[in-house]
Amino acid sequence: MGGHYQLSFPDQLSEGLEHKIGIMETSLSRFAMILDSVQSDVMQVNKGTKEIILEMECIRQKLIAQDNSLQLMTKGQEEIKASIDGSLKSLYDQLSQVTNKEMLQEVYLVVSALPHLIEASMQSVQNDLRNTTKEMQARNILQIKSPQPKGSGTTYSIFKGA
């Protein structure tokens, strides 16, 4: 009987090792699948990051173009105002030769109010353009920050049944 235990013990040891090696092979196989899935997710995140960077660059270029347009509008407003001021001075010089001073003063008051009215109108247009620019910026930011659909993340587990 003593010999029987010696044969049985190596057989039991061998079976135990084979069982543990099988469990390890299964765990390693699951781990490899998880690593493949993680690698795929990382590649998707990298792709998404690159797309966001491209969108941000596009938005930056649009903002630069809008800023340039706004600067050109401001310069144009200044040129229009200078032209109106020059025309009013010329008109005043011409009207100063008129003999009826009361009439001249009334005309001057009406005409001199024009630059202020035009400037207020141009400032209103400029404010409208700024508001439109801010709204476009806000829409672009909201599009970039919109949440990803549910279920796009992956949960990983190397334990059985998890």
Side-chain angles (χ1 to χ4, degrees):
M1 275 201 167
H4 177 69
Y5 284 113
Q6 287 179 348
L7 292 176
S8 177
F9 179 71
D11 288 339
Q12 286 178 348
L13 182 62
S14 177
E15 281 182 24
L17 286 175
E18 285 179 18
H19 179 69
K20 287 184 179 184
I21 289 172
I23 291 173
M24 288 176 62
E25 285 177 346
T26 302
S27 293
L28 286 175
S29 176
R30 284 186 180 174
F31 187 68
M33 290 188 325
I34 290 171
L35 285 179
D36 287 343
S37 181
V38 168
Q39 181 182 16
S40 173
D41 288 351
V42 167
M43 288 176 11
Q44 287 178 354
V45 167
N46 285 341
K47 180 181 176 187
T49 301
K50 288 177 185 178
E51 290 173 359
I52 288 173
I53 288 171
L54 290 174
E55 288 179 28
M56 293 298 291
E57 180 60 24
C58 180
I59 291 169
R60 187 181 74 82
Q61 293 296 330
K62 287 179 183 178
L63 289 175
I64 289 171
Q66 287 178 351
D67 184 54
N68 291 339
S69 296
L70 188 59
Q71 288 177 5
L72 287 174
M73 283 181 61
T74 301
K75 182 179 178 184
Q77 289 174 353
E78 290 170 359
E79 291 172 357
I80 290 171
K81 183 180 176 188
S83 174
I84 290 172
D85 285 345
S87 295
L88 286 175
K89 184 172 178 4
S90 172
L91 184 60
Y92 176 75
D93 291 344
Q94 290 173 8
L95 289 176
S96 65
Q97 297 172 5
V98 176
T99 56
N100 190 347
K101 289 191 177 188
E102 286 182 13
M103 188 174 171
L104 176 64
Q105 286 179 342
E106 287 179 21
V107 169
Y108 177 74
L109 290 174
V110 170
V111 172
S112 65
L114 286 177
H116 298 293
L117 293 173
I118 291 172
E119 183 177 357
S121 175
M122 288 189 169
Q123 286 178 349
S124 174
V125 168
Q126 191 175 19
N127 288 337
D128 289 347
L129 181 61
R130 284 189 185 122
N131 290 337
T132 302
T133 301
K134 288 177 184 177
E135 289 173 11
M136 288 175 64
Q137 290 172 349
R139 273 193 228 120
N140 286 334
I141 289 171
L142 286 176
Q143 287 174 352
I144 290 170
K145 289 185 177 180
S146 65
Q148 297 298 317
K150 288 187 177 181
S152 61
T154 306
T155 305
Y156 307 101
S157 176
I158 60 172
F159 303 108
K160 289 184 178 179

